Every structure is written in structure tokens, then in C-alpha cells.
Amino acid sequence: MTDNKVTALDTEKAVKSEEYVYAESAPTLTICVLTVDNGFAVVGVSACVDPANFDPVIGREIAYKDALGKFQSYLGFRLAEKLHGEKKED
């Protein structure tokens, strides 16, 4: 195995802030906005069908994980671009 990978720890270390938004028109929807070290923002969401089942703590956890997963994909793309550039130089 090589070090050419993006780990969950790499992803979480790049997060500089997190913000949660709740819409009045959709009370079971949780939106998480993660801003990362370069200022880029990623949005994750969670929702439940029955308002009686809504738990804001669970909603935040799911929305955070959703945003983090999207950001990890971006980091993977950035690493792939870097490795591609290194291959061209050889």
C-alpha cells in the first residue's frame, strides 16, 4: 500500500467550520455547511419523513457525514490530479 490515499482523518482535519441550517418550511430537514481550509464550502443534508421521528442531534450527524463524504471525494480528485501531474513529469 502507498500513502496515496485520502483518509477520513485527512478530510476532518481540513474542515475549518461547520454550520447547520433549519428551514421553517421543512422542519425535518437539516442542512450542514462545511467550510474547508481553502474556503471551499460543501453542503450535506438529512431529512426524515415523519416529524415525530425528527431528532436534531441525529439530523446533524447524518448531514455532517453527508457533507464530509462529498468533500472526501473532492480531496480524492485533488490527489488524483496531483498524481497525474507527477506522472507527466516523469
Side-chain angles (χ1 to χ4, degrees):
M1 274 189 119
T2 71
D3 289 333
N4 295 329
K5 59 187 170 201
V6 177
T7 67
L9 183 59
D10 295 330
T11 307
E12 288 199 37
K13 285 190 329 189
V15 173
K16 296 303 174 200
S17 69
E18 59 188 85
E19 179 181 355
Y20 295 90
V21 179
Y22 302 93
E24 286 184 37
S25 61
T28 62
L29 177 71
T30 304
I31 302 166
C32 173
V33 181
L34 296 181
T35 303
V36 297
D37 51 11
N38 67 1
F40 187 71
V42 181
V43 175
V45 297
S46 71
C48 70
V49 175
D50 186 345
N53 294 331
F54 180 69
D55 180 331
V57 173
I58 294 172
R60 286 171 67 117
E61 288 173 7
I62 293 171
Y64 178 86
K65 287 179 182 177
D66 184 44
L68 208 60
K70 291 174 183 177
F71 179 58
Q72 192 164 9
S73 295
Y74 295 130
L75 287 179
F77 176 80
R78 187 164 67 182
L79 177 58
E81 283 289 293
K82 177 183 174 227
L83 295 173
H84 179 72
E86 290 174 0
K87 281 184 181 179
K88 282 183 171 181
E89 294 172 6
D90 290 344

